[in-house]
Coordinates of all heavy atoms in Angstrom, one line a residue:
M1 N -35.5 -6.1 -47.3 CA -35.7 -6.5 -45.9 C -34.5 -7.1 -45.4 O -33.9 -8.0 -46.0 CB -36.9 -7.5 -45.9 CG -37.5 -7.6 -44.6 SD -38.8 -8.8 -44.7 CE -39.8 -8.1 -46.1
D2 N -34.0 -6.6 -44.2 CA -32.8 -7.1 -43.6 C -33.1 -8.1 -42.6 O -33.7 -7.8 -41.5 CB -32.0 -5.9 -43.0 CG -30.7 -6.3 -42.4 OD1 -30.5 -7.5 -42.3 OD2 -29.9 -5.4 -42.1
T3 N -32.8 -9.4 -42.9 CA -33.2 -10.4 -41.9 C -32.4 -10.4 -40.7 O -32.7 -11.1 -39.7 CB -33.1 -11.8 -42.6 OG1 -31.8 -11.9 -43.2 CG2 -34.2 -12.0 -43.7
A4 N -31.3 -9.7 -40.6 CA -30.5 -9.6 -39.4 C -31.2 -8.7 -38.4 O -30.8 -8.7 -37.2 CB -29.1 -9.0 -39.7
K5 N -32.1 -7.9 -38.8 CA -32.8 -7.0 -37.9 C -33.8 -7.8 -37.1 O -34.3 -8.8 -37.5 CB -33.6 -5.9 -38.7 CG -32.6 -4.9 -39.3 CD -33.5 -3.9 -40.1 CE -32.6 -2.8 -40.7 NZ -33.4 -1.9 -41.5
K6 N -34.1 -7.3 -35.9 CA -35.0 -7.9 -35.0 C -36.2 -7.0 -34.8 O -36.1 -5.8 -34.8 CB -34.4 -8.2 -33.6 CG -33.2 -9.0 -33.6 CD -33.5 -10.5 -33.5 CE -32.2 -11.3 -33.5 NZ -32.5 -12.6 -34.0
F7 N -37.4 -7.6 -34.7 CA -38.6 -6.8 -34.6 C -39.5 -7.3 -33.4 O -39.5 -8.5 -33.1 CB -39.4 -6.9 -35.9 CG -38.7 -6.4 -37.1 CD1 -37.9 -7.2 -37.8 CD2 -38.8 -5.0 -37.4 CE1 -37.2 -6.6 -38.9 CE2 -38.2 -4.5 -38.5 CZ -37.3 -5.3 -39.2
R8 N -40.2 -6.3 -32.8 CA -41.1 -6.6 -31.7 C -42.5 -6.4 -32.2 O -42.8 -5.4 -32.8 CB -40.8 -5.7 -30.5 CG -41.7 -5.9 -29.3 CD -41.4 -4.9 -28.2 NE -40.1 -5.1 -27.7 CZ -39.1 -4.1 -27.8 NH1 -39.4 -3.0 -28.4 NH2 -37.9 -4.3 -27.3
V9 N -43.4 -7.4 -31.9 CA -44.8 -7.3 -32.3 C -45.6 -7.0 -31.1 O -45.5 -7.8 -30.1 CB -45.3 -8.6 -33.0 CG1 -46.7 -8.5 -33.5 CG2 -44.3 -8.9 -34.2
T10 N -46.4 -6.0 -31.1 CA -47.2 -5.6 -29.9 C -48.7 -5.6 -30.4 O -49.0 -4.9 -31.4 CB -46.8 -4.3 -29.3 OG1 -45.4 -4.3 -29.1 CG2 -47.6 -4.0 -28.0
I11 N -49.5 -6.3 -29.6 CA -51.0 -6.3 -29.9 C -51.7 -5.5 -28.8 O -51.6 -5.9 -27.6 CB -51.5 -7.7 -30.1 CG1 -50.8 -8.3 -31.3 CG2 -53.0 -7.7 -30.3 CD1 -50.8 -9.8 -31.3
D12 N -52.5 -4.5 -29.2 CA -53.2 -3.7 -28.2 C -54.5 -4.5 -27.8 O -55.4 -4.6 -28.6 CB -53.6 -2.4 -28.8 CG -54.3 -1.5 -27.8 OD1 -55.0 -2.0 -26.9 OD2 -54.3 -0.3 -28.0
E13 N -54.5 -5.1 -26.6 CA -55.6 -6.0 -26.2 C -56.9 -5.3 -26.1 O -58.0 -5.9 -26.2 CB -55.2 -6.7 -24.9 CG -54.0 -7.6 -25.1 CD -53.8 -8.5 -23.9 OE1 -54.7 -8.7 -23.1 OE2 -52.6 -8.9 -23.7
E14 N -56.9 -3.9 -25.9 CA -58.1 -3.2 -25.8 C -58.7 -2.9 -27.2 O -60.0 -2.9 -27.4 CB -57.9 -1.8 -25.1 CG -57.4 -2.0 -23.7 CD -58.4 -2.7 -22.8 OE1 -59.6 -2.4 -22.9 OE2 -58.0 -3.6 -22.1
Q15 N -57.9 -2.8 -28.2 CA -58.3 -2.4 -29.6 C -58.6 -3.7 -30.4 O -59.4 -3.6 -31.4 CB -57.3 -1.6 -30.3 CG -57.0 -0.2 -29.6 CD -58.3 0.6 -29.6 OE1 -59.0 0.7 -30.5 NE2 -58.5 1.3 -28.5
C16 N -57.9 -4.7 -30.2 CA -58.0 -5.9 -31.0 C -59.3 -6.6 -30.8 O -59.7 -6.9 -29.7 CB -56.8 -6.9 -30.6 SG -57.0 -8.5 -31.4
K17 N -60.0 -6.9 -31.9 CA -61.3 -7.6 -31.8 C -61.2 -9.0 -32.0 O -62.2 -9.8 -32.0 CB -62.3 -6.9 -32.8 CG -62.0 -7.1 -34.2 CD -63.1 -6.5 -35.1 CE -62.7 -6.4 -36.6 NZ -62.7 -5.1 -37.1
G18 N -60.0 -9.5 -32.4 CA -59.8 -10.9 -32.5 C -60.3 -11.5 -33.8 O -60.7 -12.7 -33.8
C19 N -60.2 -10.8 -34.9 CA -60.7 -11.3 -36.2 C -59.7 -12.2 -36.8 O -60.1 -13.0 -37.7 CB -60.9 -10.1 -37.1 SG -59.5 -9.2 -37.6
L20 N -58.5 -12.2 -36.4 CA -57.4 -13.1 -36.9 C -57.0 -12.8 -38.3 O -56.3 -13.7 -38.9 CB -57.7 -14.6 -36.7 CG -58.0 -15.0 -35.2 CD1 -58.4 -16.4 -35.1 CD2 -56.8 -14.7 -34.3
L21 N -57.4 -11.7 -38.9 CA -56.9 -11.3 -40.2 C -55.4 -11.2 -40.2 O -54.7 -11.6 -41.2 CB -57.5 -9.9 -40.6 CG -57.5 -9.5 -42.0 CD1 -58.1 -10.6 -42.9 CD2 -58.2 -8.2 -42.1
C22 N -54.8 -10.7 -39.2 CA -53.3 -10.6 -39.1 C -52.7 -12.0 -39.1 O -51.6 -12.2 -39.7 CB -52.9 -9.9 -37.8 SG -53.5 -10.6 -36.3
V23 N -53.3 -13.0 -38.5 CA -52.7 -14.3 -38.5 C -52.8 -14.9 -39.9 O -51.8 -15.5 -40.4 CB -53.6 -15.2 -37.6 CG1 -53.1 -16.7 -37.7 CG2 -53.4 -14.8 -36.1
H24 N -53.8 -14.6 -40.6 CA -54.0 -15.1 -42.0 C -52.9 -14.4 -42.9 O -52.3 -15.1 -43.7 CB -55.4 -14.7 -42.5 CG -55.6 -15.1 -43.9 ND1 -55.9 -16.4 -44.3 CD2 -55.6 -14.4 -45.1 CE1 -56.0 -16.5 -45.6 NE2 -55.9 -15.3 -46.1
V25 N -52.8 -13.1 -42.8 CA -51.8 -12.4 -43.7 C -50.4 -12.8 -43.3 O -49.5 -12.9 -44.2 CB -52.1 -10.9 -43.7 CG1 -51.6 -10.2 -42.5 CG2 -51.5 -10.3 -45.0
C26 N -50.1 -13.0 -42.1 CA -48.7 -13.4 -41.7 C -48.4 -14.8 -42.2 O -47.3 -15.0 -42.7 CB -48.6 -13.3 -40.1 SG -46.9 -13.7 -39.6
E27 N -49.4 -15.6 -42.2 CA -49.3 -17.0 -42.7 C -49.0 -17.0 -44.2 O -48.2 -17.8 -44.7 CB -50.5 -17.8 -42.3 CG -50.5 -19.2 -42.8 CD -49.5 -20.1 -42.1 OE1 -49.2 -19.8 -41.0 OE2 -49.1 -21.1 -42.7
N28 N -49.7 -16.1 -44.9 CA -49.6 -16.2 -46.4 C -48.7 -15.2 -47.0 O -48.2 -15.5 -48.1 CB -51.1 -15.9 -46.9 CG -52.0 -17.1 -46.7 OD1 -51.9 -18.1 -47.4 ND2 -52.8 -17.0 -45.7
R29 N -48.3 -14.1 -46.3 CA -47.4 -13.1 -46.9 C -46.3 -12.8 -46.0 O -45.3 -12.2 -46.5 CB -48.2 -11.8 -47.3 CG -49.2 -12.0 -48.4 CD -49.7 -10.6 -48.8 NE -50.3 -10.7 -50.1 CZ -50.8 -9.7 -50.7 NH1 -50.7 -8.5 -50.2 NH2 -51.3 -9.8 -51.9
G30 N -46.4 -13.1 -44.8 CA -45.4 -12.7 -43.8 C -44.5 -13.9 -43.4 O -44.2 -14.8 -44.1
G31 N -44.0 -13.8 -42.1 CA -43.1 -14.7 -41.6 C -43.6 -15.9 -40.9 O -42.9 -16.7 -40.3
K32 N -45.0 -16.1 -41.0 CA -45.7 -17.2 -40.4 C -45.4 -17.3 -38.9 O -45.2 -18.4 -38.3 CB -45.3 -18.5 -41.0 CG -45.5 -18.6 -42.5 CD -45.2 -19.9 -43.1 CE -45.0 -20.0 -44.6 NZ -46.1 -19.3 -45.4
I33 N -45.5 -16.2 -38.2 CA -45.2 -16.2 -36.8 C -46.4 -15.9 -35.9 O -46.4 -16.1 -34.7 CB -44.0 -15.3 -36.4 CG1 -44.3 -13.8 -36.6 CG2 -42.7 -15.7 -37.1 CD1 -44.1 -13.0 -35.4
L34 N -47.4 -15.3 -36.5 CA -48.7 -15.0 -35.7 C -49.6 -16.2 -35.7 O -49.8 -16.8 -36.7 CB -49.4 -13.8 -36.4 CG -48.8 -12.4 -36.2 CD1 -49.6 -11.4 -36.9 CD2 -48.7 -12.0 -34.7
K35 N -50.0 -16.5 -34.5 CA -50.9 -17.7 -34.3 C -52.1 -17.3 -33.5 O -52.1 -16.3 -32.8 CB -50.1 -18.8 -33.5 CG -48.7 -19.1 -34.0 CD -48.7 -19.9 -35.3 CE -47.2 -20.1 -35.8 NZ -47.2 -20.6 -37.1
E36 N -53.1 -18.2 -33.5 CA -54.2 -18.1 -32.6 C -53.7 -18.5 -31.2 O -53.0 -19.5 -31.1 CB -55.3 -19.1 -32.9 CG -56.2 -18.7 -34.1 CD -57.3 -19.7 -34.3 OE1 -58.0 -20.1 -33.3 OE2 -57.5 -20.1 -35.4
S37 N -54.1 -17.7 -30.2 CA -53.8 -18.2 -28.8 C -55.1 -18.8 -28.2 O -56.2 -18.8 -28.9 CB -53.3 -17.0 -28.0 OG -54.5 -16.2 -27.6
D38 N -55.0 -19.2 -27.0 CA -56.2 -19.7 -26.3 C -56.8 -18.7 -25.4 O -57.7 -19.0 -24.6 CB -55.9 -21.0 -25.5 CG -54.8 -20.8 -24.5 OD1 -54.3 -19.6 -24.4 OD2 -54.4 -21.7 -23.8
K39 N -56.4 -17.4 -25.7 CA -57.0 -16.3 -24.9 C -57.9 -15.5 -25.7 O -57.9 -15.4 -26.9 CB -55.8 -15.4 -24.4 CG -54.8 -16.1 -23.5 CD -53.9 -15.2 -22.8 CE -53.1 -15.9 -21.8 NZ -51.7 -16.0 -22.2
K40 N -58.8 -14.7 -25.0 CA -59.8 -13.8 -25.6 C -59.3 -12.4 -25.5 O -58.6 -12.0 -24.5 CB -61.1 -14.0 -24.9 CG -61.8 -15.4 -25.1 CD -62.4 -15.5 -26.4 CE -63.2 -16.8 -26.5 NZ -63.6 -17.1 -27.8
T41 N -59.7 -11.6 -26.5 CA -59.4 -10.1 -26.4 C -60.5 -9.5 -25.5 O -61.5 -10.1 -25.2 CB -59.4 -9.5 -27.8 OG1 -60.8 -9.5 -28.3 CG2 -58.5 -10.2 -28.7
A42 N -60.3 -8.2 -25.2 CA -61.3 -7.5 -24.4 C -62.7 -7.5 -25.2 O -63.7 -7.4 -24.5 CB -60.9 -6.1 -24.2
L43 N -62.7 -7.5 -26.5 CA -63.9 -7.5 -27.3 C -64.5 -8.8 -27.6 O -65.4 -9.0 -28.3 CB -63.6 -6.7 -28.6 CG -63.3 -5.2 -28.4 CD1 -62.8 -4.6 -29.7 CD2 -64.5 -4.5 -27.9
G44 N -63.8 -9.9 -27.0 CA -64.4 -11.2 -27.1 C -63.9 -12.1 -28.2 O -64.4 -13.2 -28.4
G45 N -63.0 -11.6 -29.1 CA -62.4 -12.4 -30.1 C -61.3 -13.3 -29.7 O -60.9 -13.3 -28.5
V46 N -60.6 -13.9 -30.6 CA -59.5 -14.8 -30.3 C -58.2 -13.9 -30.4 O -58.0 -13.2 -31.4 CB -59.4 -15.9 -31.2 CG1 -58.1 -16.8 -30.9 CG2 -60.6 -16.8 -31.2
K47 N -57.5 -13.9 -29.3 CA -56.2 -13.1 -29.3 C -55.1 -13.7 -30.1 O -54.8 -14.9 -29.9 CB -55.8 -12.9 -27.8 CG -54.6 -11.9 -27.7 CD -54.3 -11.7 -26.2 CE -53.2 -10.7 -26.1 NZ -51.9 -11.2 -26.5
P48 N -54.5 -13.0 -31.0 CA -53.4 -13.5 -31.7 C -52.1 -13.5 -30.8 O -52.1 -12.6 -29.9 CB -53.2 -12.6 -32.9 CG -54.1 -11.5 -32.7 CD -54.9 -11.7 -31.5
V49 N -51.2 -14.3 -31.1 CA -49.9 -14.3 -30.4 C -48.8 -14.4 -31.4 O -48.9 -15.1 -32.4 CB -49.9 -15.4 -29.3 CG1 -50.0 -16.8 -29.9 CG2 -48.7 -15.3 -28.4
A50 N -47.6 -13.7 -31.1 CA -46.5 -13.8 -32.0 C -45.5 -14.8 -31.4 O -45.1 -14.7 -30.3 CB -45.8 -12.5 -32.1
E51 N -45.2 -15.8 -32.2 CA -44.2 -16.9 -31.7 C -43.1 -17.0 -32.8 O -43.4 -17.4 -33.9 CB -44.9 -18.2 -31.6 CG -45.9 -18.2 -30.4 CD -46.7 -19.5 -30.3 OE1 -46.6 -20.3 -31.2 OE2 -47.4 -19.7 -29.3
G52 N -41.9 -16.7 -32.4 CA -40.8 -16.9 -33.4 C -40.3 -15.5 -33.8 O -40.6 -14.5 -33.2
D53 N -39.5 -15.5 -34.9 CA -38.8 -14.3 -35.3 C -39.6 -13.5 -36.4 O -39.7 -14.0 -37.5 CB -37.4 -14.6 -35.8 CG -36.5 -15.1 -34.7 OD1 -36.7 -14.7 -33.6 OD2 -35.6 -15.9 -35.0
C54 N -40.1 -12.4 -36.0 CA -40.8 -11.5 -37.0 C -39.8 -11.0 -38.0 O -38.8 -10.5 -37.6 CB -41.5 -10.4 -36.2 SG -42.2 -9.1 -37.2
I55 N -40.2 -11.0 -39.3 CA -39.3 -10.5 -40.3 C -39.5 -9.0 -40.7 O -38.8 -8.5 -41.5 CB -39.4 -11.4 -41.6 CG1 -40.8 -11.3 -42.2 CG2 -39.1 -12.8 -41.3 CD1 -41.0 -12.0 -43.5
G56 N -40.5 -8.4 -40.0 CA -40.6 -7.0 -40.2 C -41.3 -6.5 -41.5 O -41.1 -5.4 -41.9
C57 N -42.0 -7.4 -42.1 CA -42.7 -7.1 -43.4 C -43.9 -6.1 -43.2 O -44.3 -5.4 -44.1 CB -43.2 -8.4 -44.1 SG -44.4 -9.3 -43.2
R58 N -44.4 -6.1 -42.0 CA -45.5 -5.2 -41.6 C -46.9 -5.4 -42.4 O -47.7 -4.5 -42.4 CB -45.1 -3.7 -41.8 CG -43.9 -3.4 -40.9 CD -43.6 -1.9 -41.0 NE -42.3 -1.6 -40.4 CZ -42.1 -1.4 -39.1 NH1 -43.2 -1.4 -38.3 NH2 -40.9 -1.1 -38.6
W59 N -47.0 -6.6 -43.0 CA -48.3 -6.9 -43.6 C -49.4 -6.9 -42.6 O -50.5 -6.4 -42.8 CB -48.3 -8.2 -44.3 CG -47.6 -8.1 -45.7 CD1 -46.4 -8.7 -46.0 CD2 -48.1 -7.5 -46.8 NE1 -46.2 -8.4 -47.4 CE2 -47.2 -7.7 -47.9 CE3 -49.3 -6.8 -47.1 CZ2 -47.4 -7.1 -49.2 CZ3 -49.5 -6.2 -48.4 CH2 -48.6 -6.4 -49.4
C60 N -49.1 -7.4 -41.4 CA -50.2 -7.4 -40.3 C -50.6 -6.0 -40.0 O -51.8 -5.8 -39.8 CB -49.6 -8.1 -39.1 SG -48.1 -7.4 -38.5
E61 N -49.7 -5.1 -39.9 CA -50.1 -3.7 -39.6 C -51.0 -3.1 -40.7 O -52.0 -2.4 -40.4 CB -48.8 -2.8 -39.5 CG -48.1 -2.8 -38.2 CD -47.0 -1.8 -38.2 OE1 -46.5 -1.4 -39.3 OE2 -46.5 -1.5 -37.1
R62 N -50.6 -3.4 -41.9 CA -51.4 -2.8 -43.0 C -52.8 -3.4 -43.1 O -53.7 -2.8 -43.5 CB -50.7 -3.1 -44.3 CG -49.6 -2.1 -44.6 CD -48.8 -2.4 -45.9 NE -47.5 -2.9 -45.5 CZ -46.6 -3.3 -46.4 NH1 -46.9 -3.4 -47.7 NH2 -45.5 -3.7 -46.0
Y63 N -52.9 -4.7 -42.7 CA -54.2 -5.4 -42.9 C -55.1 -5.2 -41.6 O -56.4 -5.4 -41.8 CB -54.0 -6.9 -43.1 CG -53.9 -7.2 -44.6 CD1 -52.8 -6.8 -45.4 CD2 -55.0 -7.8 -45.3 CE1 -52.7 -7.1 -46.7 CE2 -54.9 -8.1 -46.6 CZ -53.8 -7.7 -47.4 OH -53.7 -8.0 -48.7
C64 N -54.6 -4.9 -40.5 CA -55.5 -4.9 -39.3 C -56.5 -3.7 -39.4 O -56.1 -2.6 -39.5 CB -54.6 -4.7 -38.0 SG -55.7 -4.5 -36.6
P65 N -57.8 -4.0 -39.4 CA -58.8 -3.0 -39.6 C -58.8 -2.0 -38.4 O -59.4 -1.0 -38.5 CB -60.1 -3.8 -39.6 CG -59.7 -5.3 -39.7 CD -58.3 -5.4 -39.2
D66 N -58.3 -2.4 -37.3 CA -58.4 -1.6 -36.1 C -57.1 -1.0 -35.6 O -57.1 -0.5 -34.4 CB -59.0 -2.5 -35.0 CG -60.4 -3.0 -35.4 OD1 -61.4 -2.2 -35.3 OD2 -60.5 -4.1 -35.8
F67 N -56.1 -1.0 -36.4 CA -54.8 -0.5 -36.0 C -54.3 -1.0 -34.7 O -53.8 -0.2 -33.8 CB -54.9 1.1 -36.0 CG -55.4 1.6 -37.3 CD1 -56.7 2.1 -37.4 CD2 -54.5 1.7 -38.5 CE1 -57.1 2.6 -38.6 CE2 -55.0 2.2 -39.7 CZ -56.3 2.6 -39.8
A68 N -54.6 -2.2 -34.4 CA -54.4 -2.8 -33.1 C -53.0 -3.5 -33.0 O -52.6 -4.0 -31.9 CB -55.5 -3.8 -32.7
I69 N -52.3 -3.6 -34.1 CA -51.0 -4.4 -34.1 C -49.9 -3.4 -34.5 O -50.1 -2.6 -35.5 CB -51.1 -5.7 -34.9 CG1 -49.9 -6.5 -34.7 CG2 -51.4 -5.4 -36.4 CD1 -50.1 -8.0 -35.1
N70 N -48.8 -3.5 -33.8 CA -47.7 -2.6 -34.1 C -46.4 -3.4 -34.2 O -46.2 -4.3 -33.3 CB -47.6 -1.6 -32.9 CG -46.4 -0.6 -33.1 OD1 -45.4 -0.8 -32.5 ND2 -46.6 0.3 -34.0
V71 N -45.6 -3.1 -35.2 CA -44.3 -3.8 -35.4 C -43.2 -2.7 -35.3 O -43.3 -1.7 -36.0 CB -44.3 -4.5 -36.7 CG1 -42.9 -5.1 -37.0 CG2 -45.4 -5.5 -36.9
E72 N -42.3 -2.9 -34.4 CA -41.2 -2.0 -34.3 C -39.8 -2.7 -34.3 O -39.7 -3.8 -33.8 CB -41.3 -1.1 -33.1 CG -41.3 -1.9 -31.8 CD -41.5 -1.0 -30.6 OE1 -41.1 0.1 -30.6 OE2 -42.1 -1.6 -29.6
E73 N -38.9 -2.1 -34.9 CA -37.5 -2.6 -34.9 C -36.9 -2.5 -33.5 O -37.1 -1.5 -32.9 CB -36.7 -1.9 -35.9 CG -35.3 -2.6 -36.1 CD -34.4 -1.9 -37.2 OE1 -35.0 -1.1 -37.9 OE2 -33.2 -2.1 -37.2
I74 N -36.2 -3.5 -33.1 CA -35.6 -3.5 -31.8 C -34.1 -3.0 -32.1 O -33.3 -3.7 -32.7 CB -35.5 -4.9 -31.1 CG1 -37.0 -5.4 -31.0 CG2 -34.8 -4.8 -29.8 CD1 -37.0 -6.9 -30.6
K75 N -33.9 -1.8 -31.7 CA -32.6 -1.2 -32.0 C -31.4 -1.7 -31.2 O -30.3 -1.7 -31.6 CB -32.7 0.4 -31.8 CG -33.7 1.0 -32.7 CD -33.2 1.1 -34.1 CE -34.1 2.0 -35.0 NZ -33.8 2.0 -36.4
D76 N -31.7 -2.1 -29.9 CA -30.6 -2.5 -29.0 C -30.4 -4.0 -29.0 O -29.9 -4.5 -28.0 CB -30.9 -1.9 -27.6 CG -32.3 -2.4 -27.1 OD1 -33.0 -3.1 -27.8 OD2 -32.6 -2.0 -26.0
A77 N -30.9 -4.7 -30.0 CA -30.8 -6.2 -30.0 C -29.4 -6.6 -30.4 O -28.7 -5.9 -31.0 CB -31.7 -6.8 -31.0
Ligands
SF4_1 S1 -56.1 -8.1 -37.5 FE1 -56.1 -6.6 -35.8 S2 -58.1 -6.8 -34.8 FE2 -57.8 -8.6 -36.1 S3 -56.9 -10.1 -34.7 FE3 -55.2 -9.1 -35.7 S4 -54.6 -7.4 -34.3 FE4 -56.6 -8.1 -33.7
SF4_2 S1 -44.5 -7.9 -39.6 FE1 -44.8 -9.7 -41.0 S2 -43.8 -11.4 -40.0 FE2 -44.0 -9.9 -38.5 S3 -45.9 -10.4 -37.5 FE3 -46.4 -8.9 -39.1 S4 -47.0 -10.1 -40.9 FE4 -45.9 -11.5 -39.4

């Protein structure tokens, strides 16, 4: 993993049910940047939010049951 790289985390608000599994896995295996927000998703759960520098490990993508979270490298950073 190249820590000099920059990553953008996008959460699909229509698909995300707000289970916060991504927050848990980011906290325990990732870069500890996904947090609970004070907002609700379209499906009524708690919307996660990315705060800080994502390390691009993609554990959140692998664990999200609804394919609602996407991590992409920012090429022009
Ligand atoms: S794991 Fe997926 S569905 Fe659950 S809160 Fe995260 S993005 Fe939303
Ligand atoms: S890719 Fe890793 S560091 Fe970035 S949000 Fe997902 S779990 Fe957290």
Side-chain angles (χ1 to χ4, degrees):
M1 197 179 307
D2 183 350
T3 52
K5 291 180 178 177
K6 302 271 185 206
F7 297 89
R8 179 184 298 117
V9 182
T10 308
I11 295 157
D12 183 335
E13 296 189 25
E14 298 298 316
Q15 298 298 322
C16 172
K17 63 178 173 236
C19 65
L20 300 177
L21 195 54
C22 57
V23 173
H24 178 77
V25 77
C26 186
E27 177 70 25
N28 288 283
R29 292 190 161 183
K32 306 185 193 309
I33 65 127
L34 288 176
K35 313 282 179 197
E36 283 186 45
S37 76
D38 57 2
K39 298 193 173 109
K40 297 281 188 189
T41 70
L43 293 170
V46 178
K47 186 176 182 288
V49 63
E51 292 176 350
D53 293 329
C54 171
I55 63 174
C57 63
R58 300 185 190 274
W59 279 111
C60 54
E61 279 185 338
R62 276 177 254 175
Y63 270 72
C64 176
D66 299 284
F67 306 104
I69 188 160
N70 178 258
V71 179
E72 61 184 327
E73 188 180 344
I74 304 169
K75 297 285 188 186
D76 55 359

